[in-house]
Amino acid sequence: SADTAAVVVVGAGHAGAEAATAVRQAGHVGRIVLVGDEPRLPYHRPPLSKAYLAGTTTLEALLLKQQTVYDKAEVELRTGVKVERIERENKRMVLSDRTTLAYSRAILATGSRPRPLLAVGLDAGNIPSNLCYLRTTDDVERMRGRFVEGARLLIIGAGYIGLEVAAVARKAGLHVTVLEAQPRVLARVAAPSVSAFFESLHREAGVDIRVGANIESITLNAAGDVEAVITNDGTQIEADLVLAGIGVIPNVELASGAGLVVDNGIVVNQFTQSSDPDILAIGDCSNHPNPIYGRRIRLESVPNALEQARIAAAFICGKPQAYASVPWFWSDQYDVKLQMAGLSQGYDLAITRGSPASKSFTTFYLQNGIVISADCVNRAPEFMLVKKLVASRRPIDPALLADESVTLKSLAEAAAV
Ligand code: FAD
């Protein structure tokens, strides 16, 4: 019956915390259980490489919702407990505390984890205490003692996390070196001009950025800590603290163990249903169709986690809505707020509006005359319009995009017709 039908949400991060309360809001009357293996209430991850690392915000301020919000929504929150396996034939889950949970519908929101650094000289089973990753509040606490003025920080990977940490570290007075294997920073996601902007931003702040740099080996000291990293050109870089920010791996083991289809994430349809119709998957761990791009994608962003949570909740409550969002993301580095809409892969033209020299511009990525994505640098007021342009999928004259005497509002309105 409806009041015994339990929805179990696995993973208490951005997606899971939102899904659990959204299922109640969408009208579910039965039990809702949110199970998370981290020992605390669900919290915001983005500040871990920004304000929280900088020490300008508290753990309390990181919480996504207060305990009272879960109580009011009658969401049973079980933290510090891992779901070990799903027995689909019995529709129940087996937890690390040896209890079981019956479900009628399950939502997997297991997120992703940092890709481990593999290098000659490192023993995967014995991570040096000064080699860090950044995913959880515990990870930040592990860094704190060495994240101090004058320390030599070596960051491996010039993606968003690496660059955000570099910015916070420079402000805190650390010596910062960034190693990037690609020929430029943010190479996977940004146009060369945008990469060049961020490289010079960091160089001006005193960051030593080395692109095209691969790690040859790592040397440890007697205590087993990383002493130095040796790159492919033979350079030796000594470090007190090493942060690896080389991407994430989706947490799919629970799903694949239960026999669900997995392929760079848990494969779901437009309603977030996996290959088992009673098990949904959302957030970083889901591989989902995006109708705007006509292909499957897996996203690592807060807006996507929240959006998919609402899609899953609506589906469970019998009000299905198909997912059709423009992916978006943001990053804060120094006094620069970067906001990105859409996905730039496959672009054939990049057009910039505004001026990188004044730290205020938008770079549009076009494919066959259609804006498929854009990066806004310190242009927050334009961002909503940029998202609309990307969603519209209509051809736009690139010259108009670059012309600041033509308002983006008029272009977005024309495109929306
Ligand atoms: P997660 O937040 O990873 O939550 C998954 C949770 O499930 C975790 O707590 C995990 O421990 C738990 N779990 C996994 N397996 C089990 C299990 N079997 N049983 C119980 N629990 C389990 N995104 C942005 O949009 N903007 C940003 O500026 C930004 N900055 C970021 C900075 C950092 C340092 C990091 C790490 C991420 C950042 N992101 C940012 C990405 C964003 O945080 C993720 O996309 C988002 O957290 C995804 O939410 P999720 O719920 O899918 O996964």
Side-chain angles (χ1 to χ4, degrees), residues 1-6 28-31 104:
S1 73
D3 46 74
T4 54
H28 182 74
V29 292
R31 189 176 186 203
S104 60

Side-chain angles (χ1 to χ4, degrees), residues 10-16 35-38 45-46 48-50 81-84 109-112 134-135 161 164 251 254 282-285 299-303 305 328-331:
V10 184
H14 284 270
V35 185
D37 59 5
E38 289 187 64
R45 283 190 210 286
L48 300 184
S49 52
K50 306 176 183 78
V81 188
K82 185 173 181 181
V83 173
E84 302 275 14
T110 49
S112 55
L134 195 42
R135 185 76 198 176
I161 289 180
E164 288 178 355
N251 293 324
L254 187 62
I282 61 176
D284 279 20
C285 69
L299 293 171
E300 295 151 13
S301 86
V302 167
W328 68 277
F329 189 79
W330 74 91
S331 177

